[in-house]
Amino acid sequence: MRIGLLTEGGYPYVSGDARLWCDRLVRGLGQHEFDIYALSRSERQEDEGWIPLPPQVSRVRTAPLWMAEEDGATYGRAARRRFAEHYGELAAVLCAGPSEDPSTAEADRFGSALYGLAELARDEGGLVAALRSETAVRALERACRAPGALRAAREARVPDLLAVAAHLERALRPLSLDWYEDDGLGSVDLCHAASGGPAALTGLLVRHFAGVPLLVTEYGVQLRTHFLSAPDTAPPVRSLAGAFQGRLAAEIYRRAALVTPGNAHARRWQERCGADRDRIRTVYPGMDAAQFAEVGESAECVDPDTLVWVGRVEPAKDLVSLLHAFAEVRKEEPKTRLRIIGAPVGAAAGASGGASGGAPGSASGGVSAGGSGGASAGAEGASYLGHCRMLAAQLFPDEADGLHAVGSNPVSFEEIGGPEAPSVADAYAAGAVTVLSSVVEGFPISLVEAMFCGRATVSTDVGAVVEVIGGTGLVVPPRNPKALAEACLALLRDPERRERLGAAARARALELFTVEQNIAAFHGIYLEIVSHHPVRRVVLDGATGEPLPFAAPAEAHVPGRWTGPGARLVARGGPGWAAGAPVRANSPHPATEGAR
């Protein structure tokens, strides 16, 4: 089948979210044809270029999400009236308070306004200038001043209205794209959005215009990311922007054929936003287990008295609590050491789920996958690392075995690729117990990597940690150094328990979190969706010229002799092999006409 893969800020670019996950998916499903439609997040990302693409990628189209050039569309009076009507309705929905039945009335109003704007953009050649116009700001102002508007909306001032209008203009940029015709996304069998937000909005529009079924995958929920970001935003802006993101998420979940969260944590968010439980399939991220095989199959570790922390150094990882917990451990077991092994500055985190709850690859605890961090995130991480070094020096003065020996600190700060930990697998092999001390976490990639290595783990109960561990490690409350220390001591003092938990953890990881299981799951989901949606092509009756119902069987998705040489299909958004001009059903097939 032909898949339209929709991405935002990632694949096929060298840097960004979900790069490895999407690449593994496309390469693993070589029997399908992929068209990539990518929204870029920055000029730098575009300048860095693409990763090498496999032969099953037949087309790549990109568009910048970070900028929108004037489309040059000049609206006539009727078009201006349509825009004012639909944009005003959208603003009214965002400013209105909760309705008695939000699942129907408010969702229908939002959808009607959204699709009305999309149809206007299609008819007039774009929407950018209109979204930036004074008409848009005045429509927002009327909605905020209308009776029954939310209190936060009523308090909006001119700067707030301008900020909300700018947010909506950016969020609605996919409406102005020319991707939705029969020679674009309208020709695919299935749209697969690799994240929510703009990527899923693109799929939503394809479904509206061409009837293409939509699959949405979220390893971190975009709506959660919005709520966690920009805490200093003015209340009216935060309220109205959050209302838009919430309505959009609800519309995406309502219209998607299936939704695939990466863990139960993301699934709960999706259900809370209106996703139907019957149309949710949890698919765990797929990780490459081969690089950890040698360590995982060996029961030995470099030092049985060493605790190891692996990940990207940032405040969400709460290394301060880890250092205080280690102080308690040292009181009971003075020989214990702690190795904090971080990713190199600027390196990205793992392939899925994030501390921020964003798209795959945004901010996880792992360090093995690709991507690139922002300059601000790098500066914040460097500052936090310096703070942790100072705290470690205060808590643990350098120690020496004798008067003439050189002292050393029991806490070491290292980087992946250094002499002591040349690879990620070597980092986990360096100790007996792997510790995760995060206060915020999405899907804990570093924890899965430790499980692949057969290491016993001590983790904080955040995000999807409990779901990932599944009883193969110890879990304690976050921001509780005493509990963290007690759990570490329990495993340090019991080698047999460590070995037993490590073996169970490795078996669980190999069963649930490999690339192979991820690819197999999506292959089955693709087939499930296509089997429940009719072939969007028409066979014309030879006598009347009318469409013949049930003339295109489900197996017409696959080229083969069973489709019959006596009929040709009219392509309405089908794969390339099905394209062709409309012909009569009783017309001879070109390949057989000579034989007759």
Side-chain angles (χ1 to χ4, degrees):
M1 69 183 74
R2 191 174 181 182
I3 311 298
L5 185 61
L6 314 175
T7 68
E8 177 204 354
Y11 190 75
Y13 292 105
V14 170
S15 63
D17 299 344
R19 179 181 64 82
L20 281 183
W21 169 72
C22 289
D23 188 52
R24 289 166 177 168
L25 177 70
V26 172
R27 292 181 184 276
L29 295 176
Q31 67 271 46
H32 299 309
E33 183 181 357
F34 283 86
D35 290 352
I36 310 299
Y37 289 78
L39 298 168
S40 64
R41 284 184 181 165
S42 67
E43 185 176 10
R44 176 185 175 184
Q45 185 178 54
E46 292 187 352
D47 292 341
E48 289 174 345
W50 302 345
I51 64 173
L53 299 175
Q56 55 263 40
V57 175
S58 59
R59 174 191 296 179
V60 178
R61 295 188 66 178
T62 64
L65 194 62
W66 49 276
M67 62 167 289
E69 297 180 355
E70 292 291 342
D71 45 38
T74 303
Y75 286 7
R77 181 178 300 176
R80 291 197 300 270
R81 188 182 304 115
R82 285 175 63 189
F83 174 77
E85 176 186 349
H86 295 310
Y87 193 90
E89 181 71 3
L90 181 70
V93 173
L94 303 183
C95 294
S99 65
E100 295 181 359
D101 190 3
S103 62
T104 55
E106 293 299 322
D108 290 341
R109 288 182 65 194
F110 179 85
S112 176
L114 180 67
Y115 301 131
L117 290 172
E119 291 167 2
L120 176 62
R122 192 185 199 188
D123 295 341
E124 301 296 332
L127 206 64
V128 175
L131 291 172
R132 293 174 174 175
S133 66
E134 184 179 351
T135 302
V137 180
R138 290 191 179 278
L140 278 171
E141 184 179 22
R142 284 193 298 271
C144 290
R145 306 293 182 257
L150 293 171
R151 178 179 178 181
R154 295 197 305 269
E155 295 174 351
R157 299 295 180 260
V158 173
D160 300 327
L161 295 174
L162 293 174
V164 174
H167 177 88
L168 293 180
E169 185 273 324
R170 177 182 172 86
L172 295 175
R173 285 175 187 173
L175 275 64
S176 299
L177 298 175
D178 60 349
W179 292 355
Y180 311 116
E181 304 301 328
D182 286 346
D183 61 347
L185 278 169
S187 66
V188 303
D189 294 307
L190 166 68
C191 277
H192 184 178
S195 65
L201 174 58
T202 302
L204 202 61
L205 298 178
V206 182
R207 181 191 180 279
H208 174 73
F209 287 125
V212 179
L214 172 62
L215 168 66
V216 178
T217 295
E218 286 187 305
Y219 286 119
V221 181
Q222 288 263 349
L223 182 60
R224 177 176 180 267
T225 304
H226 171 79
F227 287 142
L228 290 175
S229 62
D232 298 330
T233 305
V237 179
R238 189 174 179 84
S239 175
L240 294 177
F244 173 81
Q245 296 296 339
R247 298 290 186 191
L248 178 60
E251 181 68 14
I252 290 170
Y253 297 149
R254 187 165 73 126
R255 301 299 184 185
L258 287 177
V259 179
T260 53
N263 52 72
H265 182 66
R267 178 173 183 144
R268 286 192 294 271
W269 270 87
Q270 292 168 342
E271 291 180 356
R272 184 70 179 269
C273 293
D276 185 353
R277 290 186 178 184
D278 295 334
R279 290 188 285 116
I280 297 180
R281 308 284 188 274
T282 301
V283 180
Y284 293 116
M287 297 176 57
D288 182 14
Q291 61 181 318
F292 306 107
E294 183 177 352
V295 175
E297 293 169 0
S298 174
E300 298 180 359
C301 65
V302 173
D303 188 347
D305 295 320
T306 297
L307 302 174
V308 172
W309 180 95
V310 181
R312 186 171 60 183
V313 177
E314 58 185 4
K317 305 306 179 183
D318 197 15
L319 295 181
V320 172
S321 290
L322 176 59
L323 291 172
H324 284 287
F326 183 62
E328 297 295 324
V329 171
R330 289 275 295 180
K331 293 177 182 178
E332 301 292 332
E333 298 290 339
K335 294 182 179 181
T336 308
R337 299 185 61 84
L338 172 62
R339 297 180 64 175
I340 296 176
I341 307 175
V345 176
S352 314
S356 64
S362 58
S364 78
V367 295
S368 62
S372 64
S376 60
E380 182 185 37
S383 174
Y384 187 69
L385 177 60
H387 173 70
C388 292
R389 287 181 181 273
M390 291 179 59
L391 178 61
Q394 294 172 1
L395 291 175
F396 311 101
D398 289 351
E399 301 173 354
D401 294 333
L403 295 176
H404 303 289
V406 178
S408 63
N409 197 294
V411 179
S412 62
F413 292 86
E414 308 164 33
E415 282 190 357
I416 301 293
E420 300 296 330
S423 70
V424 182
D426 292 326
Y428 292 105
V433 177
T434 299
V435 186
L436 184 144
S437 55
S438 302
V439 293
V440 180
E441 194 74 54
F443 188 88
I445 297 295
S446 63
L447 210 55
V448 178
E449 292 172 343
M451 294 168 70
F452 279 135
C453 291
R455 290 299 180 259
T457 60
V458 175
S459 315
T460 48
D461 187 3
V462 293
V465 165
V466 172
E467 181 182 5
V468 168
I469 288 297
T472 65
L474 303 187
V475 180
V476 300
R479 292 194 178 96
N480 191 330
K482 184 175 178 59
L484 191 63
E486 290 178 353
C488 291
L489 285 169
L491 292 182
L492 288 171
R493 291 168 173 171
D494 194 341
E496 293 184 0
R497 187 183 184 188
R498 287 202 312 266
E499 184 177 350
R500 189 167 60 249
L501 288 175
R506 175 170 165 78
R508 179 176 175 81
L510 291 174
E511 178 184 0
L512 298 178
F513 307 125
T514 61
V515 173
E516 292 75 16
Q517 68 82 24
N518 183 271
I519 292 173
F522 277 114
H523 178 61
I525 287 171
Y526 287 173
L527 296 178
E528 178 184 355
I529 292 177
V530 170
S531 69
H532 286 83
H533 290 78
V535 178
R536 297 170 295 102
R537 288 176 287 280
V538 176
V539 175
L540 304 181
D541 182 86
T544 65
E546 297 294 324
L548 288 175
F550 310 111
E555 59 267 23
H557 276 286
V558 183
R561 64 188 180 206
W562 54 78
T563 56
R568 291 290 302 277
L569 300 177
V570 180
R572 282 191 180 177
W577 53 263
V583 295
R584 303 297 182 185
N586 57 358
S587 298
H589 193 281
T592 60
E593 189 171 6
R596 294 184 182 182

